[in-house]
Amino acid sequence: MAIQQPATRPDMKPAAVPANPRFSSGPCAKPPTFDLNKLADAPLGRSHRASEGKAKLLQAIETTREILGVPADYRIGIVPASDTGAYEMAMWSLLGERHAEMVAWESFGAGWVTDVVKQLKIAHTVHTADYGDIVDMAALNYDHDVCFTWNGTTSGVRMPSGDAIPADRAGLTLCDATSAAFAMDLPWDKLDVTTFSWQKVLGGEAAHGMLILSPRAVERLESYTPPWPLPKIFRLTKGGKLIEGIFTGATINTPSMLCVEDYLQALDWAKSVGGLQGLIARADANAGAIAEFVAAHDWIDFLAKDPATRSNTSVCLRFTDARISDGTAFAKAVAKRLADENVALDIGAYRDAPAGLRIWCGGTVETSDIEAMLPWLAWAFETEIDA
């Protein structure tokens, strides 16, 4: 579908509207086939430790493994507190055995730096890049533990590949992949700890995180005890051995079985569109539609400077028109106009990021909705410039 040319006057509103105006970067749009009635099989009012509940949780784990291609000897666990809980559980449990290389090019990566520098206070080196850029991953010391995000949700900058990570590394790699999993091809042999949450690429419900551990990470857990006390919610070992139940459906604390059912339905939908490769293709098509729009308009550009590192999920844009005197106010006004017209909801830039827009392009978003929204973006820009 060709992108509609922008309106030349503020009173010329586009005719077409998105069927679904939800472009939030989290919680993200539900799968197109979502229906509350499909959650009727959730074992509500039952213990998650009953056989039916444990079976559902194990199904979620193993279907995740199937779609993402996670190796059979990697453990996958469902843990509390979304991606944040999963990543902090990993840091608190694994770091401290050796020097840590902390990598950040956006807000969430910067948060993990703060955890290590101000909370854990272990030996570390910090590597940062400005919004729109990325750290030189080849320059890191992989004999140390390396903590990084695969995709910068607040900057729209992602790892182009895992080629910089050596196979013979001595340290562990801890990867926050919350806006990358199910939309990017993650190289499991380069990742020792991987975390994500349900509410990103598959549009699941919030508060649950996924923790994926390589055999090397398990070995570290069973051979190293951190010097700080660990709360129960972070404990992955008992008596020096991995608590295997966490990775077979016996969660650390009580999960929402309604949310589990919702995730299972999202996984089924993911398989119906071609699994991982189908999801990647959908995200690429969405991001590609925005790339065509940006190429056709000289007043907007990507925040990510290098096309090789541009995200296909959290697409971050900035206004470049010289007539804009207050970038923050202008971007907020454009986002508000689009929300008021109910054609694009929740697309303002993250609060710590540079002024602009952030449009979610993960696989649950239909390309036709992106294409219907973009002429409205042109209309909102022209209207705000005129105002």
Side-chain angles (χ1 to χ4, degrees):
M1 176 177 175
I3 296 174
Q4 181 177 333
Q5 289 302 307
T8 56
R9 299 198 313 269
D11 60 341
M12 295 176 61
K13 292 184 179 180
V17 297
N20 184 356
R22 295 169 178 83
F23 301 106
S24 163
S25 291
C28 301
K30 308 295 287 183
T33 58
F34 173 75
D35 184 343
L36 279 172
N37 292 322
K38 293 182 177 181
L39 307 184
D41 195 43
L44 305 183
R46 293 291 310 279
S47 171
H48 62 291
R49 295 187 176 90
S51 59
E52 185 177 0
K54 290 181 72 174
K56 292 275 189 181
L57 290 161
L58 182 58
Q59 181 185 355
I61 288 170
E62 292 308 321
T63 309
T64 298
R65 184 187 305 278
E66 173 191 350
I67 295 174
L68 293 182
V70 178
D73 58 350
Y74 279 50
R75 268 62 163 214
I76 303 175
I78 298 170
V79 299
S82 191
D83 176 66
T84 299
Y87 203 80
E88 291 194 327
M89 178 184 295
M91 287 197 296
W92 257 251
S93 299
L94 290 163
L95 295 184
E97 192 262 355
R98 60 183 63 213
H99 195 98
E101 304 268 329
M102 303 303 300
V103 181
W105 55 82
E106 51 92 49
S107 301
F108 289 101
W112 308 143
V113 171
T114 298
D115 280 3
V116 163
V117 173
K118 295 187 177 180
Q119 302 299 324
L120 296 179
K121 299 179 181 179
I122 62 175
H124 63 271
T125 304
V126 176
H127 308 265
T128 61
D130 292 334
Y131 279 86
D133 290 318
I134 193 169
V135 169
D136 180 4
M137 298 297 287
L140 306 180
N141 184 346
Y142 288 92
D143 288 338
H144 297 163
D145 294 331
V146 179
C147 299
F148 65 102
T149 57
W150 190 272
N151 181 78
T153 310
T154 65
S155 69
V157 175
R158 68 173 174 179
M159 292 268 290
S161 71
D163 293 349
I165 303 173
D168 60 348
R169 61 192 178 278
L172 300 179
T173 52
L174 283 72
C175 174
D176 172 356
T178 198
S179 55
F182 295 105
M184 303 173 199
D185 205 354
L186 298 172
W188 296 108
D189 60 324
K190 302 298 182 75
L191 307 177
D192 295 303
V193 176
T194 307
T195 66
F196 62 89
S197 57
W198 296 349
Q199 74 264 27
K200 291 295 186 183
V201 180
L202 287 189
E205 292 304 298
H208 298 76
M210 299 298 281
L211 175 67
I212 303 178
L213 303 176
S214 74
R216 299 179 71 248
V218 173
E219 181 183 12
R220 170 75 66 84
L221 283 168
E222 294 184 335
S223 64
Y224 165 70
T225 301
W228 43 79
L230 284 177
K232 178 182 178 181
I233 209 164
F234 280 3
R235 295 174 200 160
L236 295 168
T237 61
K238 184 176 181 180
K241 293 294 182 182
L242 189 73
I243 303 174
E244 292 285 359
I246 296 172
F247 305 95
T248 59
T251 54
I252 295 174
N253 74 335
T254 306
S256 163
M257 296 311 297
L258 190 63
C259 292
V260 171
E261 192 68 25
D262 180 69
Y263 182 55
L264 289 172
Q265 294 298 320
L267 291 169
D268 285 345
W269 171 80
K271 290 194 290 185
S272 77
V273 298
L276 178 60
Q277 294 309 312
L279 291 168
I280 291 173
R282 288 174 65 90
D284 285 349
N286 292 337
I290 294 180
E292 290 182 16
F293 180 86
V294 169
H297 298 84
D298 60 4
W299 43 263
I300 196 164
D301 200 357
F302 290 97
L303 183 58
K305 297 176 181 177
D306 181 356
T309 67
R310 286 177 189 160
S311 174
N312 66 345
T313 56
S314 54
V315 177
C316 297
L317 304 172
R318 60 187 181 90
F319 292 105
T320 58
D321 195 289
R323 292 170 292 177
I324 300 171
S325 59
D326 185 336
T328 298
F330 187 88
K332 287 182 177 180
V334 168
K336 185 177 186 304
R337 287 186 187 277
L338 294 172
D340 289 347
E341 296 289 341
N342 200 38
V343 295
L345 306 177
D346 310 318
I347 66 167
Y350 189 72
R351 61 180 179 269
D352 295 333
L357 304 176
R358 181 172 58 153
I359 302 169
W360 183 255
C361 289
T364 59
V365 173
E366 299 279 25
T367 304
S368 57
D369 287 333
I370 294 283
E371 291 173 332
M373 177 272 296
L374 289 170
W376 284 93
L377 173 54
W379 168 83
F381 169 81
E382 298 291 351
T383 303
E384 192 57 35
I385 284 289
D386 185 70

